[in-house]
Structure formats: C-alpha cells, structure tokens
Amino acid sequence: MPRRSDNITAGPERTPNRALLRACGYTDEEINRPLIGVVSAYSEIIPGHINLDKIAAAVKTGVSMAGGTPVLVPAIGVCDGIAMGHIGMKYSLASRELIADSVETLANAHQLDGLVLIPNCDKIVPGMLMAAARLNIPSIIVSGGPMLAGHFMGQEISLSKTFEAVGSYKAGIINADQLNDCECNSCPGCGSCAGMYTANSMNCLSEAIGMALPGNGTVPAVHAARIHLAKHAGMKIMELIEKDIKPRDILNPKAFRNALTCEMALGCSTNTVLHLLAIAHEAGVELDLALLNELSAKVPNLCHLAPAGDHHIEELYMAGGIPAVMKELTKRDLLDLTLITATGKTVGENLEGVVNKNPEVIRPIENPYSQTGGIAVLWGNIAEKGCVVKRSAVAPEMMVHSGPARVFDSEEDAIEAIYTGKIVKGDVVVIRYEGPKGGPGMREMLNPTSALAGMKLDKDVALITDGRFSGASRGASIGHVSPEAASGGNIALIEEGDIIEIDIPNSRVHLAISDEEMAARRAKFVPREPNIKTGWLARYARQVTSADQGAILE
C-alpha cells in the first residue's frame, strides 16, 4: 500500500529529496520505513513543557520499536500564567491557530505518514487536535502530564491559590513573607498546573474523545508511568497506520458528545467549550452551544478539583483517572461505548475492568456533587448568542444574583478598581472589549477573579466579560459573551449602575432595561477603534469569528 512519504522517498525522481534526508543522518533502512512526525512543543519558558524533550525521546523510542522512523519537529507554545495580566495574554488564544497551521505545514510539506503530537498546556493541546482533524492522517496525542500540587500554610495548593494570594496580600489578609512563601512553594516542578484548569481539562478530554491513550490527562509529569505512556503512544501510532484509523474516524459527533459528557462530570475549564467548538469545526462536525445545557441537565457533576475544590489532578490519577470517571457515567448509559479510539479499541473495551478507587475524589454517580453538570450556557439580552460559566465553581449563594453593573473597557481598568477597593459586595463587574476581535485575542481574566477570591469577595461579586476566564478562576465568572462589544454586541451598551440579573439554574443573564432604552442606546452607539493595528494580532482581529463559533479564523 502506498505511503504519503513515498512522495519524498520513492523512485529515481526523489533522489534529491532522499539526498537531503541523508544529510539529516537517515539511513536507507529509516528512509524506507513510515515517517512519523513527533511534534514536540518543548521550550524552557513553560513549566508544562520543560519535560517534553524527555517525552519526545520516549515517543521516538516507541516509534522505532514498532518499526517506524521518528522525525522530531517543533511547535510553539505560550504559558498562560506568565502571559497573564498584560499584553502577552492577547497572543495566547491566537497562538492556537498558529500551532494548528504550523503542524499542518510541517506534516504536508514533508509528507509525514503519521503524527504523535506532544503538547501539554492550554492552547497547544487544542491547536494540535485541530491540526490532526484538518490533516486527517493517523495521529495520537500524548501530553507531558500534570504538575504535582504545591504546599502553603499547611495546605496542598496549585497556581490558582498563588493568584488569589495577591488579592489576599492587597487586602491585608497575608503579609509579604507569606506571599513570598506561596510564590516559592505553589509550583514544585514540571507539568501542567495541578488543578482542573484548561491544560489538564483538554488533556483529560483528549482521552474522553478518544484521541489519547488512557492516563494521558492524569499520570503526573514526574512519574515513570508518563514515560511508559509516551513509549506506548509511539508504538500505537504504527498500529493506527496499519489499521488506517484516522482522526475523523474518531472525532465524530458521538465522540464530541462523549467528551462534553465527561466535561460535565469533571467540571472542566470553560475554555474547553471554545476549543471543542474549534476542533469540531476542523473535523466537519456541527456542534451547538445548546447541546451543553442539554447534557448538563442530565449529567451529574462527580468531581470538585481545584479551583472548585481541594483535590488536585494527582488525586484524580490515583482514584482511577478519566477511565474511572467514564466508568461511573456508564452506570446511566451516558456514553457511547461503541466508538473507536486511538487505542485501536472501542470506548467500552478501554473501560473493561476499570474501577473507581476513591469515591471522595470521584463521587459515585449515585452521590454526585450536583445532579447537573459543571458547565452552563446562559442566554439573554446581553448575550444573545450565549455566554459560559463554570457552574461547579460558583458558590450556591451566587447561582442567582442581581446587582449594579460596574463597567470597564479593559482588564487593566477593572483590576485597578478591585485592588483599590472600589468594588463592593453585590456588584457585577463588566469587562468588555476583551473578546476575540476587541482584545484582540480574548484575554483570560484570572487576575480580577483571583483578586476577588483573595479578598473574600468571590461569593458576593459576579464578573461578566466578552473575554475568557482561566480554568483557575472560580466564582460567578461568566465569559465568552457573544456577540462581543467590538462586534456591536449589547454588552457594549451596558452603563454604570444598570442592574444585571443572573440566573444560572435557568440559563439566563439579563440587563434590566426596557427594549426602548436598549434601542435608544443602540442608535447612539459608536464602535470603538481597534487598539492594535499592526502585526499578527491585527490580522487575527480581522479574521477571527465570535466565541460562540469557537473563535476560529475565517
């Protein structure tokens, strides 16, 4: 059977191509085997990626053991935590498209036969999955694994507590020495930050959707089992090539439904909604926000991992990981078990013999944290195309809330008001012009949410934005408001002091003004000029779509 790589290795016409491969050190034996792209996002600026050189080496060993030729190629990545709170965060979501485009470029320019994709952090995982769906050549994901929890003041903590510690310091709750202690001990080493933030959410959902081997989302970065997993992924890609199992064989509508079902049970980051929409688009699958609320109504929330609770990913791993969560969901027939996965087996076959080893970390489905799922979509006159909230991280007293709008046209203005004590109990903080176009880049708002949490206001103050919230955010943090302000969405018409009504159980967010008043404000509305007019971000702002479409590029 012909291989893609025959286009660069087979026949006398490809003598120059082979000459260049020989210059790279490849032998006849290697040139005549399937060429497997080992796409590593290794760098020395992202804690979740500083171990990816070791993961890539293990993958290459696995590929060679199974009879393939591994070809190491790079991918970029942005550390959201380091990029947080300044212009750098504008590049984070935009980097997802660059990653997808670069993987497509490398795979097609060099006619690779298959891909082992090695991401770990927020945009890198979905960017690589988007590329896999777009290319539709045999592919498998293997991440670098989660970080272990840190320790501070006698408690296990992770990055979200570090951000919150700043608010606690500003409010005089902790002193400078304690703040430094938190800084030095919250992130103990390599891996994606230890809570159910976006990186770990996407790595877990890569398992649930079938594109990664069991353990991908939860085996700690520092465990030998992570190296074993990488070697097995390298071996498995050869089986996927032999069986001709491609990403779109796996990424079908039912697989996305499985992933969203697991998302509800886990209480994942709201960013996963944005990314699953984008991946579905690349796979040719129609995915609608309304499906989230349909599933949320029937899928119980089984896990409360940081920031929603005190458990961390290492505890989820010891409890049985994503397979154990999925096994609980099978008790109510909430998953399609017939679907093929990257193991070469079906979902049901992957779950044979799996047990829940810790019912405190993974609640049995008969005793969930709540009967509804961890994510909710809200609609209303300021979010006509929807907005998203991590319901599992919202305090019960904030599920229904009404309060005066405190309106800011940038994250910086909002955080200054919070730090200087200008936000009080009952307020609804509105941060706009931070959407995909308006930011541009749809920045995450972890600093404002963490400041409020650190100041003990997360149970009294809501936030609404056309930007995003980090998976590390907690509280009534409502993001992805669509249409965004820069596109003329009604969030741009909110005025200081307007009453905003939030009703999460009934999927509603409402600006309490009359239709006539809304129309009058609309008639006077003047769109704000873009704040970045040059470079890659300016092009991104012109091409990017709304959050309800996954913020994909047109």
Side-chain angles (χ1 to χ4, degrees):
M1 179 175 160
R3 300 180 188 137
R4 273 168 52 98
S5 59
D6 287 348
N7 290 321
I8 63 169
T9 62
E13 298 83 3
R14 298 306 176 197
T15 297
N17 310 67
R18 289 193 299 273
L20 292 167
L21 289 171
R22 290 181 189 281
C24 294
Y26 294 109
T27 64
D28 283 338
E29 292 81 2
E30 290 171 305
I31 291 170
N32 291 325
R33 294 173 179 172
L35 301 183
I36 307 302
V38 179
V39 187
S40 172
Y42 169 76
S43 76
E44 295 182 343
I45 194 64
I46 309 176
H49 288 209
I50 59 174
N51 67 324
L52 295 192
D53 55 339
K54 298 176 179 62
I55 301 297
V59 166
K60 290 173 67 177
T61 297
V63 170
S64 296
M65 288 168 64
T69 297
V71 179
L72 183 66
V73 293
I76 67 164
V78 169
C79 178
D80 279 16
I82 296 174
M84 196 72 67
H86 56 89
I87 191 174
M89 179 48 72
K90 294 178 183 287
Y91 287 87
S92 174
L93 182 61
S95 73
R96 186 187 71 181
E97 316 309 311
L98 291 178
I99 292 161
D101 290 350
S102 66
V103 173
E104 175 194 358
T105 300
L106 288 166
N108 278 340
H110 304 107
Q111 291 295 283
L112 302 172
D113 295 303
L115 299 172
V116 182
L117 302 161
I118 310 175
N120 209 23
C121 291
D122 300 45
K123 301 319 147 311
I124 302 90
V125 183
M128 288 188 176
L129 282 169
M130 289 165 66
R134 187 187 301 173
L135 288 160
N136 203 34
I137 61 175
S139 303
I140 189 170
I141 287 267
V142 57
S143 76
M147 185 184 293
L148 297 178
H151 293 84
F152 173 60
M153 297 179 70
Q155 293 183 323
E156 282 194 347
I157 67 163
S158 50
L159 186 66
S160 57
K161 292 292 185 182
T162 320
F163 275 90
E164 291 174 15
V166 177
S168 296
Y169 173 72
K170 296 277 188 181
I173 296 171
I174 63 173
N175 60 37
D177 288 340
Q178 290 169 317
L179 183 64
N180 183 67
D181 184 33
C182 184
E183 174 186 331
C184 294
N185 293 291
S186 59
C187 297
C190 68
S192 47
C193 299
M196 188 54 81
Y197 312 142
T198 305
N200 290 325
S201 294
M202 287 307 303
N203 283 323
C204 289
L205 294 185
S206 296
E207 276 188 63
I209 209 166
M211 284 295 294
L213 300 180
N216 180 72
T218 61
V219 175
V222 296
H223 282 208
R226 176 59 56 176
I227 299 298
H228 304 163
L229 187 72
K231 289 179 179 177
H232 284 130
M235 289 184 269
K236 188 60 66 173
I237 190 63
M238 300 307 296
E239 181 183 334
L240 296 177
I241 289 172
E242 182 183 348
K243 293 181 176 178
D244 196 31
I245 297 174
K246 299 185 179 75
R248 292 193 189 184
D249 298 322
I250 296 169
L251 296 172
N252 58 44
K254 292 179 179 179
F256 280 94
R257 192 178 181 95
N258 276 1
L260 287 168
T261 297
C262 289
E263 177 179 59
M264 295 300 168
L266 289 164
C268 291
S269 163
T270 52
N271 284 314
T272 58
V273 177
L274 202 67
H275 299 321
L276 287 173
L277 286 166
I279 296 162
H281 172 77
E282 297 290 355
V285 172
E286 288 190 17
L287 200 59
D288 190 272
L289 284 177
L291 176 60
L292 273 79
N293 281 358
E294 175 196 328
L295 293 174
S296 185
K298 65 177 70 171
V299 180
N301 179 223
L302 306 182
C303 299
H304 267 193
L305 296 140
D310 295 329
H311 299 135
H312 294 92
I313 301 295
E314 64 200 78
E315 293 165 281
L316 180 59
Y317 167 62
M318 291 184 286
I322 303 310
V325 175
M326 296 177 76
K327 191 72 170 185
E328 289 291 341
L329 295 171
T330 64
K331 293 179 180 178
R332 291 190 188 170
D333 297 322
L334 292 170
L335 298 174
D336 190 321
L337 304 180
T338 67
L339 306 179
I340 195 67
T341 72
T343 66
K345 300 177 182 178
T346 64
V347 174
E349 289 172 327
N350 291 341
L351 297 181
E352 289 176 4
V354 170
V355 296
N356 180 356
K357 300 174 184 177
N358 189 338
E360 295 297 316
V361 176
I362 304 171
R363 288 276 188 95
I365 203 164
E366 302 84 4
N367 179 37
Y369 281 101
S370 68
Q371 293 294 342
T372 51
I375 300 287
V377 179
L378 314 181
W379 282 272
N381 61 355
I382 53 173
E384 294 171 306
K385 293 186 178 180
C387 54
V388 182
V389 63
K390 186 171 181 175
R391 173 161 48 188
S392 60
V394 178
E397 54 265 50
M398 289 298 291
M399 287 291 187
V400 177
H401 179 76
S402 179
R406 306 297 310 279
V407 182
F408 304 95
D409 287 347
S410 72
E411 178 190 7
E412 288 83 359
D413 290 347
I415 194 70
E416 181 184 0
I418 294 169
Y419 281 156
T420 55
K422 296 175 183 176
I423 303 302
V424 299
K425 290 184 178 182
D427 284 349
V428 178
V429 176
V430 177
I431 308 175
R432 61 194 181 190
Y433 293 103
E434 291 286 8
K437 288 183 181 295
M442 203 180 180
R443 286 195 288 182
E444 290 184 343
M445 305 292 162
L446 181 55
N447 280 351
T449 60
S450 298
L452 290 172
M455 294 174 169
K456 308 300 181 186
L457 288 172
D458 56 299
K459 296 181 180 179
D460 301 289
V461 174
L463 291 96
I464 295 177
T465 182
D466 51 11
R468 300 180 293 129
F469 289 111
S470 166
S473 293
R474 60 187 172 102
S477 304
I478 300 166
H480 307 196
V481 169
S482 300
E484 62 174 291
S487 296
N490 287 342
I491 189 173
L493 307 182
I494 301 172
E495 295 181 358
E496 185 80 7
D498 285 347
I499 298 301
I500 295 178
E501 300 165 348
I502 299 165
D503 186 347
I504 295 173
N506 289 302
S507 306
R508 183 173 179 268
V509 59
H510 180 72
L511 177 63
I513 63 173
S514 67
D515 292 345
E516 291 78 12
E517 174 63 17
M518 186 78 85
R521 293 182 187 183
R522 169 67 56 197
K524 295 185 293 183
F525 173 68
V526 178
R528 203 178 74 164
E529 284 290 310
N531 56 13
I532 290 183
K533 300 180 180 180
T534 60
W536 154 236
L537 283 181
R539 295 201 310 274
Y540 179 84
R542 289 195 298 269
Q543 295 177 308
V544 71
T545 62
S546 179
D548 65 292
Q549 298 176 56
I552 58 173
L553 296 187
E554 290 181 324

